[in-house]
Amino acid sequence: WCFYRALSLLIGVGFEAPSIVNTTCNERTPWCTVEHWITLSCLYIGSIFYALLISSISYVVVNMNKGSSNLSMQLWTLNEYLKSKKVPHEMRDRVRNFYRIQFAEGKMYDEDDVLRLL
């Protein structure tokens, strides 16, 4: 029962939480033992599915606007490059304006690559 109690603490069923399983098991019968282990197994399986659901939702949210994030990353890289080469401010503004006009929709993609895929 020590191993069972340790696993139940890990899942959050702990000593302080109300019992999830049948509370009419006052003595350790084989059926009560099986019931406790099945319940604990189901809790762990449910936790795994919950973690998969959260990771899938976060993946969708992160990749929802990939074009804009690519453009932001490209602009950040461009700004860092222009700073490191000590390009004058006028020229930096002109280059940034070119990028803003070229990619006005907020999407950063290579048109040749897209056409090649078609």
Side-chain angles (χ1 to χ4, degrees), residues 21-100:
V21 295
N22 187 359
T23 55
T24 60
C25 291
N26 293 330
E27 49 191 60
R28 292 190 184 134
T29 62
W31 172 246
C32 287
T33 304
V34 169
E35 182 183 7
H36 282 84
W37 282 105
I38 289 174
T39 303
L40 189 63
S41 302
C42 290
L43 285 171
Y44 270 96
I45 290 170
S47 297
I48 290 169
F49 281 126
Y50 183 69
L52 289 172
L53 175 71
I54 295 298
S55 68
S56 296
I57 290 172
S58 63
Y59 177 78
V60 167
V61 169
V62 165
N63 290 321
M64 192 180 301
N65 205 354
K66 197 68 166 171
S68 293
S69 63
N70 285 344
L71 177 62
S72 298
M73 187 63 174
Q74 190 75 14
L75 283 174
W76 181 80
T77 305
L78 176 71
N79 285 331
E80 291 298 316
Y81 176 77
L82 293 175
K83 284 180 192 175
S84 71
K85 296 299 180 183
K86 295 181 173 62
V87 175
H89 288 289
E90 290 179 7
M91 184 63 79
R92 285 188 214 175
D93 291 337
R94 290 177 66 192
V95 171
R96 282 190 289 254
N97 285 337
F98 168 78
Y99 264 84
R100 287 190 186 105

